[in-house]
Amino acid sequence: MDDCIMAELKQGDVYWEGERKLCSAMRDRGCIPRPSLVLKEASPTELGSREEGASSKADPAVPAEKQSSGQEETKVQGPLPQQQQHQRELQQESWQGFSLEEALAVHESKSFDYRVMHLILWKLAGRQPHPSLLQFLRVDELLVDIGDDLTDYEDDVERNSFNIFRCYAHLFGADAPRMLVQRISNLEQLHAQLLAELPTHLQAHWLARHKEASAEGGSCDGAGSSWEFPSIIYDETAFREDED
């Protein structure tokens, strides 16, 4: 077994270790803060009377804990239905379970098995691997993986499996689709550049196979595909409980 195959097999260790860490962090977190969780000035029907001596009006744009100088705390008579619904989410706003760099490292190592297969096929054919082709296929695999993860998002949340869109949802909340679109756009540009650098016969072969896969209805999401984003599951714990 040559060094290239061994290097890709080590990427498998990177993937499995990273997947366990990230999925454990997302499972333990349970909830993603919703975009609607903005502190607003409470109405008289929602809040109890203020303590005597509190003369100034709270600024709705500033969290209550930063308005305590010279004022008594606002006393809430009881949690409102919306507050009850989002209680766990509010507690998770400072969550830092993993970084974007960690999520991308796991994502980039995910298809190590395909790369091992490519190298073995080259070896069995008695030919040297084509570096430009392998580089192109690596980017192509990343785009296909993203497409699969968008399709399988709900299943992956239910199974607590690694999913790059799920990671983006935990990292960026409601901005996850926009942030992932940036990632997709960068990969698509690199994909087009690497495809153009391939020999003509390899370009033609890939384009023909991509067209066949599209016609067959298989998993062919990737460069040149349309991207559909699922709705973010903000309360993963409740979602899994509902699916049981």
Side-chain angles (χ1 to χ4, degrees):
M1 192 172 296
D2 62 25
D3 293 341
C4 291
I5 294 176
M6 287 301 300
E8 291 298 345
L9 287 173
K10 289 180 180 178
Q11 285 297 299
D13 292 333
V14 172
Y15 173 69
W16 293 118
E17 181 179 352
E19 184 200 35
R20 286 193 295 270
K21 176 185 176 182
L22 271 61
C23 290
S24 293
M26 290 186 285
R27 179 200 60 212
D28 294 343
R29 185 189 196 191
C31 290
I32 301 168
R34 296 174 187 263
S36 59
L37 294 180
V38 179
L39 295 177
K40 298 180 180 179
E41 184 179 4
S43 66
T45 59
E46 295 171 340
L47 298 178
S49 60
R50 297 181 183 275
E51 294 288 338
E52 287 186 355
S55 57
S56 60
K57 198 173 185 180
D59 182 352
V62 181
E65 63 268 23
K66 294 186 179 179
Q67 302 182 44
S68 60
S69 59
Q71 298 183 29
E72 294 293 335
E73 274 188 58
T74 298
K75 292 189 175 181
V76 182
Q77 293 177 336
L80 301 172
Q82 186 177 11
Q83 292 171 327
Q84 291 174 325
Q85 180 183 357
H86 300 324
Q87 183 177 7
R88 282 183 297 172
E89 299 165 11
L90 283 166
Q91 293 171 349
Q92 300 293 341
E93 286 182 307
S94 60
W95 180 80
Q96 296 180 1
F98 55 83
S99 66
L100 176 60
E101 290 73 19
E102 288 177 297
L104 293 180
V106 176
H107 181 230
E108 290 173 2
S109 62
K110 183 177 181 181
S111 294
F112 73 94
D113 50 345
Y114 283 100
R115 294 189 289 274
V116 169
M117 180 183 67
H118 294 157
L119 293 170
I120 291 175
L121 287 174
W122 282 100
K123 202 169 186 67
L124 290 174
R127 299 168 60 188
Q128 288 296 316
H130 195 298
S132 298
L133 178 60
L134 293 179
Q135 188 177 8
F136 167 77
L137 289 175
R138 188 182 190 93
V139 176
D140 191 63
E141 290 155 8
L142 291 173
L143 287 166
V144 170
D145 277 343
I146 293 174
D148 287 344
D149 282 358
L150 293 176
T151 300
D152 299 337
Y153 173 59
E154 290 189 357
D155 291 337
D156 288 338
V157 170
E158 182 182 356
R159 295 190 296 254
N160 189 38
S161 298
F162 176 81
N163 181 298
I164 191 61
F165 181 65
R166 184 186 178 203
C167 292
Y168 269 66
H170 276 269
L171 288 166
F172 302 111
D175 282 338
R178 180 178 62 83
M179 298 300 293
L180 189 53
V181 162
Q182 293 179 9
R183 167 80 169 164
I184 291 170
S185 178
N186 291 336
L187 288 172
E188 285 185 328
Q189 290 178 27
L190 180 58
H191 186 275
Q193 175 188 329
L194 293 173
L195 178 62
E197 293 173 359
L198 290 177
T200 305
H201 71 283
L202 290 178
Q203 293 184 38
H205 180 78
W206 182 85
L207 291 169
R209 184 65 194 104
H210 185 76
K211 185 176 180 179
E212 289 173 6
S214 300
E216 293 166 1
S219 178
C220 60
D221 293 319
S225 301
S226 59
W227 301 93
E228 295 183 9
F229 289 81
S231 299
I232 294 173
I233 299 170
Y234 288 98
D235 192 335
E236 292 191 351
T237 300
F239 179 82
R240 282 190 287 271
E241 289 172 352
D242 291 341
E243 294 298 311
D244 288 341

